[in-house]
Amino acid sequence: MRFIKHRDIEMLSFESLDSFDDIFNFVTTRNGAIDGDPYSSFNLGMHSGEAVDKVLEHQETLRKTIGIASGRFILPRQIHGNGVAVIDETFLGLSSDGRKNAVSRADALITNIPMVCIGITTADCVPVLLFDPVKKAVGVAHAGWRGTVQHIVSATVYNMVVRFGTSPADIYAAIGPSIGQEQFEVGDEVYEAFRDAYTEIERLSMRHPVTGKYHIDLWEANRADLYDAGILSEHIEVAGLCTRTRNDLFFSARDLGVKSGRFISGIYLK
């Protein structure tokens, strides 16, 4: 990944996606962390516990900074499932309430409409961006551990295939900043969920020699799902940035608590 700055907003972007001139991709940062303030300084999460007006102000600042028109910056509700919503002309024609209802069960979005930015909010969960340079379509997925065991990125790729005629081998995928395996200690019930979902659980887990607790590698789990969905390994970029370790740059629910900020990972067709 590389740092980019638009006006006063510090962000990162994926080098593999930057090689394409017809898309813009980004991952926001905290833009300054203040001790004792879990929302400092650029919280973008509507359901994070911070005043809605403040979050909307930040989202508006981001939207204007990246050059997206009002009403064309779309975020899903995110319920830690594997639902995928299609952002098409019908969706854009809906009322505000209609739009909210259309993405109320979604943790992933796909679109092929230019200048419509789709994104997801995270603070340890895995953000995944997808781009099909042949059919000109993009996708985003929010892969928390629950979404990961439900193979949400596979579902997102499948929906791009069905809706846009995408060939998985054409897709470029980017796995964004999220909690790393060393920091992602889980209980036995979470380990069992991954063991049920993945045949090669030893590739995704390790048991701490001191605590005896399991640690799960969410990056590898989602990379494996992308590969199994038909995406070429050389088309998959993994940021390798742990949100809990780099809490100076990113919000981390494990470090700051559930009532803390969220950052956005997004993409749009120019």
Side-chain angles (χ1 to χ4, degrees), residues 57-104:
E57 180 184 331
H58 288 163
Q59 289 188 0
E60 278 293 285
T61 297
L62 175 61
R63 178 185 65 77
K64 292 176 181 177
T65 297
I66 62 176
I68 293 297
S70 179
R72 298 175 78 88
F73 187 20
I74 316 298
L75 304 171
R77 175 64 178 87
Q78 297 181 198
I79 60 170
H80 294 273
N82 66 350
V84 182
V86 180
I87 307 304
D88 54 14
E89 294 292 353
T90 299
F91 174 90
L92 294 177
L94 295 173
S95 65
S96 177
D97 287 343
R99 287 184 175 201
K100 288 179 182 179
N101 184 62
V103 298
S104 65

Short mmCIF file of all heavy atoms in Angstrom, two decimals, residues 57-104:
data_model
loop_
_atom_site.label_atom_id
_atom_site.label_comp_id
_atom_site.label_asym_id
_atom_site.label_seq_id
_atom_site.Cartn_x
_atom_site.Cartn_y
_atom_site.Cartn_z
N GLU A 57 -20.94 14.63 9.01
CA GLU A 57 -20.04 15.71 8.59
C GLU A 57 -18.74 15.15 8.03
O GLU A 57 -18.24 15.59 6.99
CB GLU A 57 -19.75 16.63 9.76
CG GLU A 57 -18.83 17.79 9.45
CD GLU A 57 -18.51 18.62 10.68
OE1 GLU A 57 -19.34 18.68 11.59
OE2 GLU A 57 -17.40 19.20 10.73
N HIS A 58 -18.20 14.13 8.72
CA HIS A 58 -16.98 13.51 8.24
C HIS A 58 -17.21 12.79 6.91
O HIS A 58 -16.37 12.85 6.00
CB HIS A 58 -16.47 12.52 9.28
CG HIS A 58 -15.89 13.17 10.49
ND1 HIS A 58 -15.68 12.48 11.68
CD2 HIS A 58 -15.47 14.43 10.72
CE1 HIS A 58 -15.16 13.30 12.56
NE2 HIS A 58 -15.02 14.49 12.01
N GLN A 59 -18.33 12.09 6.79
CA GLN A 59 -18.63 11.39 5.54
C GLN A 59 -18.79 12.36 4.38
O GLN A 59 -18.36 12.08 3.26
CB GLN A 59 -19.88 10.52 5.70
CG GLN A 59 -19.69 9.30 6.59
CD GLN A 59 -20.88 8.36 6.57
OE1 GLN A 59 -21.87 8.61 5.88
NE2 GLN A 59 -20.79 7.27 7.32
N GLU A 60 -19.41 13.49 4.65
CA GLU A 60 -19.56 14.52 3.62
C GLU A 60 -18.21 15.07 3.19
O GLU A 60 -17.95 15.31 2.00
CB GLU A 60 -20.46 15.65 4.11
CG GLU A 60 -21.94 15.37 3.98
CD GLU A 60 -22.37 15.29 2.52
OE1 GLU A 60 -22.46 16.34 1.86
OE2 GLU A 60 -22.57 14.16 2.02
N THR A 61 -17.33 15.28 4.17
CA THR A 61 -15.98 15.76 3.86
C THR A 61 -15.25 14.76 2.97
O THR A 61 -14.61 15.14 1.98
CB THR A 61 -15.17 15.98 5.15
OG1 THR A 61 -15.81 16.99 5.93
CG2 THR A 61 -13.75 16.39 4.85
N LEU A 62 -15.36 13.47 3.30
CA LEU A 62 -14.72 12.44 2.49
C LEU A 62 -15.32 12.41 1.09
O LEU A 62 -14.58 12.35 0.09
CB LEU A 62 -14.87 11.08 3.17
CG LEU A 62 -14.34 9.88 2.38
CD1 LEU A 62 -12.85 10.01 2.12
CD2 LEU A 62 -14.66 8.58 3.11
N ARG A 63 -16.64 12.44 1.00
CA ARG A 63 -17.30 12.38 -0.30
C ARG A 63 -16.83 13.51 -1.21
O ARG A 63 -16.50 13.30 -2.38
CB ARG A 63 -18.83 12.45 -0.11
CG ARG A 63 -19.60 12.45 -1.42
CD ARG A 63 -21.08 12.65 -1.21
NE ARG A 63 -21.41 13.96 -0.66
CZ ARG A 63 -21.44 15.09 -1.36
NH1 ARG A 63 -21.12 15.08 -2.64
NH2 ARG A 63 -21.77 16.23 -0.79
N LYS A 64 -16.80 14.71 -0.68
CA LYS A 64 -16.38 15.86 -1.48
C LYS A 64 -14.90 15.77 -1.84
O LYS A 64 -14.50 16.14 -2.94
CB LYS A 64 -16.67 17.14 -0.72
CG LYS A 64 -18.16 17.43 -0.55
CD LYS A 64 -18.38 18.67 0.30
CE LYS A 64 -19.87 18.94 0.50
NZ LYS A 64 -20.10 20.12 1.38
N THR A 65 -14.11 15.25 -0.90
CA THR A 65 -12.67 15.16 -1.13
C THR A 65 -12.34 14.23 -2.29
O THR A 65 -11.43 14.50 -3.08
CB THR A 65 -11.96 14.69 0.15
OG1 THR A 65 -12.16 15.66 1.18
CG2 THR A 65 -10.46 14.50 -0.08
N ILE A 66 -13.07 13.12 -2.40
CA ILE A 66 -12.77 12.17 -3.47
C ILE A 66 -13.59 12.44 -4.73
O ILE A 66 -13.50 11.68 -5.70
CB ILE A 66 -12.99 10.71 -3.00
CG1 ILE A 66 -14.45 10.46 -2.61
CG2 ILE A 66 -12.05 10.38 -1.83
CD1 ILE A 66 -14.74 9.01 -2.23
N GLY A 67 -14.39 13.50 -4.72
CA GLY A 67 -15.05 13.94 -5.94
C GLY A 67 -16.29 13.16 -6.33
O GLY A 67 -16.58 13.01 -7.52
N ILE A 68 -17.05 12.70 -5.33
CA ILE A 68 -18.27 11.94 -5.60
C ILE A 68 -19.49 12.81 -5.32
O ILE A 68 -19.56 13.50 -4.30
CB ILE A 68 -18.32 10.66 -4.73
CG1 ILE A 68 -17.21 9.71 -5.15
CG2 ILE A 68 -19.68 9.96 -4.82
CD1 ILE A 68 -17.32 9.19 -6.58
N ALA A 69 -20.47 12.75 -6.21
CA ALA A 69 -21.68 13.57 -6.07
C ALA A 69 -22.55 13.07 -4.92
O ALA A 69 -22.50 11.89 -4.54
CB ALA A 69 -22.48 13.55 -7.37
N SER A 70 -23.34 13.96 -4.38
CA SER A 70 -24.27 13.59 -3.31
C SER A 70 -25.20 12.49 -3.77
O SER A 70 -25.70 12.50 -4.89
CB SER A 70 -25.08 14.83 -2.91
OG SER A 70 -26.00 14.51 -1.89
N GLY A 71 -25.42 11.51 -2.90
CA GLY A 71 -26.30 10.40 -3.23
C GLY A 71 -25.64 9.27 -3.99
O GLY A 71 -26.30 8.28 -4.33
N ARG A 72 -24.34 9.40 -4.24
CA ARG A 72 -23.64 8.36 -5.00
C ARG A 72 -22.45 7.79 -4.22
O ARG A 72 -21.52 7.23 -4.79
CB ARG A 72 -23.19 8.91 -6.36
CG ARG A 72 -24.36 9.34 -7.22
CD ARG A 72 -23.93 9.99 -8.51
NE ARG A 72 -23.48 9.03 -9.50
CZ ARG A 72 -24.27 8.42 -10.39
NH1 ARG A 72 -25.57 8.64 -10.37
NH2 ARG A 72 -23.78 7.59 -11.27
N PHE A 73 -22.52 7.94 -2.91
CA PHE A 73 -21.54 7.34 -1.99
C PHE A 73 -22.32 6.37 -1.12
O PHE A 73 -23.06 6.77 -0.23
CB PHE A 73 -20.88 8.44 -1.16
CG PHE A 73 -19.74 7.97 -0.30
CD1 PHE A 73 -19.07 6.78 -0.57
CD2 PHE A 73 -19.32 8.73 0.77
CE1 PHE A 73 -18.02 6.36 0.22
CE2 PHE A 73 -18.27 8.32 1.58
CZ PHE A 73 -17.62 7.14 1.29
N ILE A 74 -22.17 5.08 -1.38
CA ILE A 74 -23.05 4.06 -0.82
C ILE A 74 -22.31 3.15 0.17
O ILE A 74 -21.26 2.58 -0.17
CB ILE A 74 -23.69 3.19 -1.92
CG1 ILE A 74 -24.19 4.06 -3.08
CG2 ILE A 74 -24.80 2.33 -1.34
CD1 ILE A 74 -25.26 5.05 -2.72
N LEU A 75 -22.89 3.00 1.36
CA LEU A 75 -22.36 2.09 2.37
C LEU A 75 -23.45 1.13 2.79
O LEU A 75 -24.61 1.54 2.94
CB LEU A 75 -21.89 2.88 3.61
CG LEU A 75 -20.85 3.98 3.39
CD1 LEU A 75 -20.67 4.79 4.66
CD2 LEU A 75 -19.52 3.38 2.95
N PRO A 76 -23.14 -0.15 3.01
CA PRO A 76 -24.15 -1.10 3.45
C PRO A 76 -24.39 -1.01 4.96
O PRO A 76 -23.61 -0.37 5.68
CB PRO A 76 -23.54 -2.46 3.08
CG PRO A 76 -22.07 -2.22 3.22
CD PRO A 76 -21.83 -0.80 2.79
N ARG A 77 -25.42 -1.65 5.44
CA ARG A 77 -25.74 -1.63 6.87
C ARG A 77 -24.75 -2.45 7.68
O ARG A 77 -24.42 -2.11 8.80
CB ARG A 77 -27.17 -2.17 7.10
CG ARG A 77 -27.57 -2.32 8.56
CD ARG A 77 -27.61 -0.98 9.27
NE ARG A 77 -28.04 -1.12 10.65
CZ ARG A 77 -27.26 -1.39 11.68
NH1 ARG A 77 -25.96 -1.58 11.47
NH2 ARG A 77 -27.74 -1.48 12.91
N GLN A 78 -24.27 -3.58 7.13
CA GLN A 78 -23.28 -4.47 7.75
C GLN A 78 -23.82 -5.16 9.00
O GLN A 78 -23.83 -4.60 10.09
CB GLN A 78 -21.98 -3.72 8.05
CG GLN A 78 -21.30 -3.20 6.80
CD GLN A 78 -20.00 -2.46 7.08
OE1 GLN A 78 -19.52 -1.71 6.23
NE2 GLN A 78 -19.40 -2.69 8.24
N ILE A 79 -24.26 -6.41 8.83
CA ILE A 79 -24.82 -7.19 9.93
C ILE A 79 -23.98 -8.44 10.21
O ILE A 79 -24.43 -9.35 10.87
CB ILE A 79 -26.28 -7.58 9.64
CG1 ILE A 79 -26.37 -8.43 8.36
CG2 ILE A 79 -27.16 -6.34 9.54
CD1 ILE A 79 -27.73 -9.06 8.13
N HIS A 80 -22.76 -8.46 9.70
CA HIS A 80 -21.85 -9.59 9.88
C HIS A 80 -22.40 -10.87 9.26
O HIS A 80 -22.27 -11.97 9.81
CB HIS A 80 -21.53 -9.80 11.37
CG HIS A 80 -20.76 -8.68 11.98
ND1 HIS A 80 -19.39 -8.61 11.94
CD2 HIS A 80 -21.18 -7.55 12.61
CE1 HIS A 80 -18.99 -7.49 12.53
NE2 HIS A 80 -20.05 -6.83 12.94
N GLY A 81 -23.00 -10.71 8.08
CA GLY A 81 -23.48 -11.86 7.32
C GLY A 81 -22.73 -11.97 6.01
O GLY A 81 -21.58 -11.54 5.90
N ASN A 82 -23.41 -12.53 4.99
CA ASN A 82 -22.78 -12.65 3.67
C ASN A 82 -23.69 -12.16 2.56
O ASN A 82 -23.59 -12.60 1.42
CB ASN A 82 -22.31 -14.09 3.41
CG ASN A 82 -23.48 -15.06 3.28
OD1 ASN A 82 -24.63 -14.72 3.58
ND2 ASN A 82 -23.19 -16.28 2.84
N GLY A 83 -24.58 -11.22 2.91
CA GLY A 83 -25.48 -10.66 1.91
C GLY A 83 -24.77 -9.67 0.99
O GLY A 83 -23.92 -8.90 1.43
N VAL A 84 -25.12 -9.72 -0.30
CA VAL A 84 -24.52 -8.86 -1.32
C VAL A 84 -25.63 -8.05 -1.99
O VAL A 84 -26.61 -8.61 -2.46
CB VAL A 84 -23.77 -9.68 -2.38
CG1 VAL A 84 -23.11 -8.77 -3.41
CG2 VAL A 84 -22.74 -10.60 -1.73
N ALA A 85 -25.47 -6.72 -2.03
CA ALA A 85 -26.45 -5.85 -2.68
C ALA A 85 -25.86 -5.28 -3.96
O ALA A 85 -24.68 -4.92 -4.01
CB ALA A 85 -26.86 -4.71 -1.75
N VAL A 86 -26.68 -5.21 -5.00
CA VAL A 86 -26.28 -4.66 -6.29
C VAL A 86 -26.69 -3.19 -6.34
O VAL A 86 -27.86 -2.85 -6.14
CB VAL A 86 -26.93 -5.42 -7.45
CG1 VAL A 86 -26.48 -4.84 -8.79
CG2 VAL A 86 -26.58 -6.91 -7.37
N ILE A 87 -25.72 -2.34 -6.61
CA ILE A 87 -26.01 -0.91 -6.75
C ILE A 87 -26.16 -0.62 -8.24
O ILE A 87 -25.18 -0.51 -8.97
CB ILE A 87 -24.90 -0.05 -6.12
CG1 ILE A 87 -24.64 -0.49 -4.69
CG2 ILE A 87 -25.26 1.43 -6.21
CD1 ILE A 87 -25.86 -0.47 -3.78
N ASP A 88 -27.41 -0.51 -8.68
CA ASP A 88 -27.70 -0.29 -10.10
C ASP A 88 -28.57 0.95 -10.25
O ASP A 88 -28.82 1.67 -9.28
CB ASP A 88 -28.36 -1.53 -10.72
CG ASP A 88 -29.60 -1.97 -9.95
OD1 ASP A 88 -30.10 -1.19 -9.11
OD2 ASP A 88 -30.08 -3.10 -10.18
N GLU A 89 -29.04 1.20 -11.45
CA GLU A 89 -29.86 2.39 -11.69
C GLU A 89 -31.17 2.33 -10.90
O GLU A 89 -31.68 3.36 -10.44
CB GLU A 89 -30.14 2.56 -13.18
CG GLU A 89 -28.91 2.85 -14.03
CD GLU A 89 -28.30 4.23 -13.75
OE1 GLU A 89 -28.92 5.01 -12.99
OE2 GLU A 89 -27.22 4.51 -14.28
N THR A 90 -31.71 1.13 -10.73
CA THR A 90 -32.93 0.98 -9.94
C THR A 90 -32.69 1.41 -8.50
O THR A 90 -33.50 2.13 -7.90
CB THR A 90 -33.43 -0.48 -9.98
OG1 THR A 90 -33.73 -0.83 -11.33
CG2 THR A 90 -34.67 -0.65 -9.13
N PHE A 91 -31.57 0.97 -7.94
CA PHE A 91 -31.23 1.37 -6.57
C PHE A 91 -31.08 2.88 -6.47
O PHE A 91 -31.60 3.49 -5.53
CB PHE A 91 -29.92 0.69 -6.14
CG PHE A 91 -29.42 1.15 -4.80
CD1 PHE A 91 -29.81 0.51 -3.64
CD2 PHE A 91 -28.55 2.25 -4.70
CE1 PHE A 91 -29.36 0.94 -2.39
CE2 PHE A 91 -28.09 2.69 -3.47
CZ PHE A 91 -28.51 2.04 -2.31
N LEU A 92 -30.38 3.49 -7.42
CA LEU A 92 -30.15 4.93 -7.37
C LEU A 92 -31.45 5.72 -7.49
O LEU A 92 -31.52 6.88 -7.04
CB LEU A 92 -29.18 5.35 -8.46
CG LEU A 92 -27.74 4.81 -8.33
CD1 LEU A 92 -26.91 5.25 -9.53
CD2 LEU A 92 -27.10 5.26 -7.03
N GLY A 93 -32.49 5.12 -8.05
CA GLY A 93 -33.77 5.79 -8.19
C GLY A 93 -34.67 5.66 -6.98
O GLY A 93 -35.76 6.25 -6.95
N LEU A 94 -34.24 4.90 -5.98
CA LEU A 94 -35.06 4.70 -4.79
C LEU A 94 -35.03 5.92 -3.88
O LEU A 94 -34.12 6.74 -3.92
CB LEU A 94 -34.53 3.49 -4.00
CG LEU A 94 -34.64 2.12 -4.67
CD1 LEU A 94 -33.93 1.06 -3.82
CD2 LEU A 94 -36.10 1.72 -4.88
N SER A 95 -36.04 6.01 -3.02
CA SER A 95 -36.06 7.03 -1.97
C SER A 95 -34.98 6.72 -0.95
O SER A 95 -34.38 5.63 -0.96
CB SER A 95 -37.41 7.05 -1.28
OG SER A 95 -37.62 5.82 -0.58
N SER A 96 -34.72 7.65 -0.04
CA SER A 96 -33.73 7.43 1.01
C SER A 96 -34.07 6.20 1.83
O SER A 96 -33.20 5.36 2.11
CB SER A 96 -33.65 8.66 1.91
OG SER A 96 -32.74 8.45 2.97
N ASP A 97 -35.33 6.04 2.20
CA ASP A 97 -35.76 4.88 2.98
C ASP A 97 -35.63 3.60 2.14
O ASP A 97 -35.27 2.54 2.67
CB ASP A 97 -37.19 5.04 3.46
CG ASP A 97 -37.32 6.06 4.60
OD1 ASP A 97 -36.27 6.38 5.22
OD2 ASP A 97 -38.44 6.52 4.85
N GLY A 98 -35.94 3.70 0.86
CA GLY A 98 -35.83 2.54 -0.02
C GLY A 98 -34.40 2.07 -0.14
O GLY A 98 -34.12 0.87 -0.14
N ARG A 99 -33.48 3.02 -0.23
CA ARG A 99 -32.07 2.67 -0.30
C ARG A 99 -31.61 1.98 1.00
O ARG A 99 -30.90 0.98 0.96
CB ARG A 99 -31.23 3.92 -0.54
CG ARG A 99 -31.32 4.49 -1.94
CD ARG A 99 -30.35 5.66 -2.06
NE ARG A 99 -30.28 6.19 -3.40
CZ ARG A 99 -29.27 6.90 -3.85
NH1 ARG A 99 -28.25 7.18 -3.06
NH2 ARG A 99 -29.26 7.36 -5.09
N LYS A 100 -31.99 2.56 2.12
CA LYS A 100 -31.60 1.96 3.41
C LYS A 100 -32.11 0.53 3.52
O LYS A 100 -31.40 -0.36 3.98
CB LYS A 100 -32.15 2.81 4.56
CG LYS A 100 -31.45 4.13 4.74
CD LYS A 100 -32.06 4.93 5.90
CE LYS A 100 -31.38 6.27 6.05
NZ LYS A 100 -31.99 7.07 7.15
N ASN A 101 -33.34 0.30 3.08
CA ASN A 101 -33.90 -1.04 3.13
C ASN A 101 -33.16 -1.99 2.20
O ASN A 101 -32.93 -3.16 2.52
CB ASN A 101 -35.39 -1.00 2.76
CG ASN A 101 -36.05 -2.35 2.89
OD1 ASN A 101 -36.12 -2.92 3.98
ND2 ASN A 101 -36.54 -2.88 1.78
N ALA A 102 -32.75 -1.49 1.03
CA ALA A 102 -32.09 -2.33 0.03
C ALA A 102 -30.73 -2.84 0.50
O ALA A 102 -30.27 -3.90 0.06
CB ALA A 102 -31.95 -1.57 -1.29
N VAL A 103 -30.06 -2.08 1.36
CA VAL A 103 -28.74 -2.49 1.85
C VAL A 103 -28.77 -2.88 3.33
O VAL A 103 -27.72 -3.05 3.95
CB VAL A 103 -27.68 -1.40 1.61
CG1 VAL A 103 -27.53 -1.10 0.13
CG2 VAL A 103 -28.03 -0.12 2.39
N SER A 104 -29.97 -3.05 3.88
CA SER A 104 -30.11 -3.30 5.32
C SER A 104 -29.60 -4.67 5.75
O SER A 104 -29.31 -4.87 6.93
CB SER A 104 -31.57 -3.14 5.74
OG SER A 104 -32.38 -4.13 5.12
#
